[in-house]
């Protein structure tokens, strides 16, 4: 068993001593109040991560200039109103021995003029992407004013009890827009050569140091590379890091990319922990101040090696700290099997952050409820959970942890439901980690698990449960199309589960996420694959960052596409389909046809048993086939109130 000696050694960053190397990086969470103060939920959220033994906790990007508020639930430090609520967070974290850093940000060209009530600003009037506002070019005089805003915000952070501030200089935001020749086309003293492009950063550091009088640590968040042609690459960023050290910065927090390449900012499932580690190591070689590395770290083993090799000094566990706020504590106590893993699905965190909604987490349904901890049931009940997918498993352990007597029934011989099969396509193996962690938690909590048992009304009469949770999931969607019931047609779930084999030349019917991932699975195995889809685009329902890599699989494996095609008839060797102009076509000559048009809810029991057990709940895909995020969310909602 690994002891994580390096991860649990203290470190000095400027005037601040951090007890270990585990860091919570800044992540937008939309828990703040609309007036720019932090809420009680914010306090509970950060406090929980301090209880979990993270040594340094970084508060999400906090707005430093009045006209730069990018979202309705962003905290602000451009006036004194937020100091009191910040103090509650720092007190809660200090109580657990954690240090608190607060990220100071002006989103610049990545901001939102409508939310801010003022034009967004940047080094040059270049929109960050299609559909984004064109920013105003900051006047030379105004640049000097903006510098003061950083100093004042840092002073307020210090008054609010922060041990450090982190100046945001990454991801294409305001400071980064000055730093990079890709976005800075100025010809005043803030444009042109390296020194001029870095002038804004230097002035900010000097101002922040002056206002905080060396009492708190001053860090900078920088990119390891922008991942853009003509932008700052890793060599440039080594020079930037060295320059910032000369400016007096106490530490560097090294992230990666601008939003155009946000698959490197929050990497999806198939990208492994520490995917930017070597780029950060190059920067670490150029400076003598502490360096924080970040990038899809989930388990502490690799983090320990990074510190041991001297490639970084601290490791930030971003989404993993959402999935399991007690990650460091579990590492310290050698309880790694108890970890709830982040599977980088991006469903609850990034999607909600962008939508302005409070973040939540597929694997950790407790996220966002830290202010209302799970209460023991007043009256323990006999609870029957029907279905061993992620909805059933999470409902079972939550109900058990509240003190109920819980039995989970699974009709098959393996747990995990359709989520287990979702782990089979390329790059999705981490999903298995989540399912295993749920099974382990049920076993550890003492949930009784009964396998190979189809629940009937007779069994319910015999067992007499007080409460039933139906989590029977979903089955392959079979639309009323001629020939669809031909036994030669292979269901995608049977293919992934190894129950049926496909021939060399394959037609996958359905080009949503399920069909596309099935096609990639076959492509990786060197089948000749074609996908047919009703919509004009394949993978239209796939989250952007995942889709980037899925479409790369399509390219690498030469997967062909037929789009805008309504399938009217199935044959053993293909299909007949109709295009928008009403013309019918045939695509035939395949060795196998795979049905992957999605899933539909499977709920054979509700009507039969609701009179037997008045307290009957239905959750997850048994209501309607959706995302796993909905399943675990509903499991929490139901199991926490039984």
């Amino acid at each position: 068993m690994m002891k994580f000696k390096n991860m649990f050694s203290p470190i000095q960053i400027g005037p601040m001593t951090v007890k270990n190397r585990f860091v919570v990086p800044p992540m937008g969470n939309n828990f703040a109040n609309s007036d720019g103060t932090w809420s009680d939920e914010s306090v509970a959220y950060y406090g929980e991560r301090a209880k979990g033994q993270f040594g340094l906790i970084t508060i999400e990007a906090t707005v430093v200039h009045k006209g730069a508020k990018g979202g309705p639930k962003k905290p602000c430090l451009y006036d004194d109103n937020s100091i009191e609520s910040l103090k509650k967070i720092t007190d809660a974290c200090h109580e657990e021995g954690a240090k608190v850093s607060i990220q100071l940000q002006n989103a610049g060209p990545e901001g939102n003029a409508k939310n801010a009530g003022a034009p967004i600003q940047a080094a040059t009037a270049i929109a960050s992407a299609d559909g984004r506002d064109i920013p105003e070019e900051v006047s030379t005089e105004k640049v000097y004013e903006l510098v003061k805003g950083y100093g004042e915000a840092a002073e307020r952070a210090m008054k609010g009890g922060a041990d450090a501030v982190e100046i945001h200089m990454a991801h294409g935001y305001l400071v980064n827009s000055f730093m990079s020749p890709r976005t800075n086309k100025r010809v005043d003293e803030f444009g042109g050569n390296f020194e001029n492009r870095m002038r804004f950063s230097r002035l900010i550091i000097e101002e922040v140091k002056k206002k905080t009088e060396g009492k708190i640590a001053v860090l900078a968040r920088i990119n390891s590379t922008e991942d853009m042609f003509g932008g700052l690459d890793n060599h440039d960023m080594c020079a930037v890091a060295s320059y910032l050290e000369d400016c007096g910065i106490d530490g560097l927090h090294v992230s990666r990319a601008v939003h155009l390449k946000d698959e490197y900012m929050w990497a999806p499932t198939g990208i492994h922990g520490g995917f930017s580690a070597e780029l950060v190591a190059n920067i670490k070689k150029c400076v003598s101040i502490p360096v924080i590395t970040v990038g899809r770290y989930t388990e502490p083993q690799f983090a320990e090696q990074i510190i041991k090799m001297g490639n970084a000094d601290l490791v930030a566990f971003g989404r993993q700290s959402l999935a399991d706020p007690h990650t460091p504590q579990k590492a310290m106590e050698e309880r790694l099997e108890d970890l709830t893993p982040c599977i980088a699905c991006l469903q609850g965190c990034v999607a909600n952050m962008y939508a302005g909604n409070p973040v939540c987490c597929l694997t950790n349904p407790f996220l966002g409820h830290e202010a209302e901890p799970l209460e023991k049931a007043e009256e323990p009940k006999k609870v029957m959970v029907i279905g061993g997918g992620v909805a059933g498993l999470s409902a079972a352990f939550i109900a058990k942890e509240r003190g109920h007597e819980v039995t989970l029934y699974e009709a098959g011989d393996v747990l995990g439901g359709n989520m287990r099969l979702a782990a089979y396509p390329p790059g999705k193996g981490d999903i298995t980690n989540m399912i295993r962690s749920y099974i382990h938690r049920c076993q550890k909590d003492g949930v009784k698990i009964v396998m190979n048992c189809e629940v009937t009304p007779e069994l319910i009469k015999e067992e007499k449960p007080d409460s039933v949770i139906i989590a029977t999931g979903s089955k392959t969607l079979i639309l009323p199309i001629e020939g669809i019931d031909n036994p030669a047609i292979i269901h995608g779930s049977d293919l992934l589960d190894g129950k049926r084999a496909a021939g060399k030349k394959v037609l996958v019917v359905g080009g949503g996420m399920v069909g596309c991932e099935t096609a990639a699975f076959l492509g990786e195995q060197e089948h000749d694959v074609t996908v047919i889809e009703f919509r004009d685009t394949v993978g239209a329902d796939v989250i952007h960052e995942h889709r980037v890599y899925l479409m790369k699989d399509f390219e690498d494996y030469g997967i062909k596409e037929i789009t805008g095609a309504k399938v009217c008839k199935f044959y053993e060797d293909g299909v007949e389909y109709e295009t928008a102009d009403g013309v019918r076509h045939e695509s035939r000559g395949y060795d196998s046809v795979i049905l992957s048009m999605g899933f539909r809810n499977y709920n054979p029991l509700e009507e039969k048993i609701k009179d037997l057990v008045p307290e009957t709940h239905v959750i997850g895909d048994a209501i309607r086939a959706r995302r796993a995020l909905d399943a675990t969310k509903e499991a929490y909602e139901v199991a926490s109130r039984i």
Side-chain angles (χ1 to χ4, degrees), residues 387-391 393 408 410 414-422 431 435-436 439 451:
V390 292
L393 289 166
L408 181 144
E410 166 54 43
V414 62
L415 295 164
N418 284 333
M419 193 67 170
R420 180 179 63 81
L421 299 180
I431 291 173
I435 295 162
R436 176 61 211 158
I439 295 168
M451 302 296 292

Side-chain angles (χ1 to χ4, degrees), residues 373-550:
L374 211 56
E375 286 179 6
K376 287 283 182 194
E378 284 176 29
E379 260 181 73
K381 289 181 175 176
K382 185 176 183 180
V383 178
M384 180 186 266
V385 178
I386 306 168
V390 292
L393 289 166
S394 49
F397 69 67
I398 294 167
K400 182 68 182 169
E401 285 168 15
R402 292 191 56 234
H404 296 299
E405 183 198 324
V406 183
T407 306
L408 181 144
Y409 293 84
E410 166 54 43
D413 58 359
V414 62
L415 295 164
N418 284 333
M419 193 67 170
R420 180 179 63 81
L421 299 180
Y424 281 63
K428 291 297 184 81
D430 252 13
I431 291 173
T432 313
N433 189 0
M434 170 199 174
I435 295 162
R436 176 61 211 158
S437 76
Y438 275 21
I439 295 168
H440 172 73
R441 190 157 175 178
C442 284
Q443 289 169 337
K444 197 170 175 181
D445 288 344
V447 171
K448 186 182 174 193
I449 297 173
V450 181
M451 302 296 292
N452 300 302
C453 180
E454 187 89 48
V455 174
T456 59
E458 290 67 38
L459 181 66
I460 285 170
K461 282 178 194 165
E462 201 182 302
E463 289 295 327
K464 300 185 180 64
D466 302 308
S467 180
V468 169
I469 299 173
I470 296 174
T472 40
S474 57
K475 299 214 164 186
T476 299
L477 175 64
I478 301 171
L479 293 169
I481 301 169
E482 189 185 340
I484 199 167
D485 51 1
N486 186 321
I489 309 288
I490 300 170
H491 289 189
S493 51
D494 288 340
L495 174 93
L496 293 172
D497 215 7
K499 291 174 181 169
R500 300 277 304 267
K504 175 71 180 167
K505 193 176 181 191
V506 182
L507 177 68
V508 176
V509 182
M513 181 176 78
V514 175
C516 285
E517 290 190 344
T518 303
F521 175 79
L522 289 164
E524 187 181 66
Q525 295 174 1
E526 301 186 332
H527 290 266
D528 175 357
V529 187
T530 301
V531 174
I532 186 164
E533 163 59 20
F534 176 68
R535 286 171 287 197
D536 292 332
T537 321
V538 297
D541 57 341
V542 180
I543 287 172
H544 164 73
E545 292 82 356
H546 290 279
R547 195 173 187 277
V548 169
Y549 293 99
L550 187 57

Side-chain angles (χ1 to χ4, degrees), residues 19 42 146 217 234 318 333 335 349 433 642:
K19 68 179 177 182
S42 304
L146 290 171
N234 189 228
E333 294 170 3
R335 293 192 292 119
C349 50
N433 189 0
I642 285 175

Side-chain angles (χ1 to χ4, degrees), residues 338-361:
D338 291 352
L339 276 183
T340 301
C342 164
I343 56 169
C345 65
L346 304 169
Q347 288 183 18
C349 50
V350 173
N352 279 311
M353 178 190 74
Y354 271 134
N357 300 322
V359 298
C360 57
C361 179

Side-chain angles (χ1 to χ4, degrees), residues 140-350:
T140 307
E141 198 179 311
K142 181 76 193 277
V143 180
Y144 290 97
E145 270 177 55
L146 290 171
V147 168
K148 292 199 176 92
Y150 282 92
E152 287 159 8
E155 194 175 9
R156 291 186 188 106
M158 187 167 73
K159 284 180 182 164
D163 305 285
V165 290
E166 177 178 295
I167 303 158
H168 207 328
M169 299 182 175
H171 305 326
Y173 298 132
L174 181 67
V175 183
N176 190 186
S177 80
F178 276 82
M179 209 182 262
S180 176
R182 193 181 72 85
T183 48
N184 182 343
K185 315 292 182 183
R186 300 171 74 96
V187 290
D188 63 358
E189 65 262 41
F190 293 102
N193 69 12
F194 179 90
E195 183 69 36
N196 287 358
R197 284 184 283 109
M198 291 302 297
R199 193 182 303 275
F200 186 34
S201 307
R202 177 168 61 79
L203 292 173
I204 292 169
I205 294 166
E206 287 170 359
E207 185 70 14
V208 167
K209 296 286 259 187
K210 189 173 87 185
K211 287 283 192 183
T212 55
E213 301 169 352
K215 291 174 185 166
I216 62 171
V218 181
L219 296 95
R221 172 87 167 217
I222 61 170
N223 289 326
S224 56
T225 172
E226 286 184 345
D227 284 297
M228 295 295 292
F229 179 70
L232 297 165
D233 67 7
N234 189 228
H235 300 98
D236 297 318
M237 291 314 300
C238 287
V240 166
S242 198
Y243 180 90
L244 294 174
E245 181 178 23
D246 289 346
C247 293
I249 211 84
D250 295 312
L252 295 168
H253 192 166
V254 186
S255 186
R256 180 170 174 179
V258 295
H259 280 278
L260 287 167
K261 286 285 198 298
D262 62 12
E263 63 270 23
Y264 293 119
M265 284 173 61
W266 34 71
T269 312
I271 305 301
H272 293 284
F275 64 96
S276 302
E278 287 170 23
L279 302 175
V280 180
N282 292 339
I283 288 172
K284 169 71 187 150
K285 284 176 198 156
C286 301
V287 295
S288 55
I289 50 176
V291 170
I292 304 169
T293 185
V294 69
R296 181 121 162 74
Y297 289 99
T298 53
E299 296 185 84
Q301 288 87 339
F302 187 43
E304 175 71 10
Q305 303 317 307
I306 296 267
I307 308 301
K308 195 174 177 179
M309 291 187 289
N311 288 348
D313 301 286
L314 303 97
V315 179
F317 291 77
R319 288 167 290 164
Q320 178 57 30
S321 71
L322 302 179
D324 196 334
H326 292 257
T327 297
Q329 187 180 17
K330 288 173 183 177
M332 188 162 56
E333 294 170 3
E334 297 180 11
R335 293 192 292 119
L336 293 176
E337 210 180 349
D338 291 352
L339 276 183
T340 301
C342 164
I343 56 169
C345 65
L346 304 169
Q347 288 183 18
C349 50
V350 173

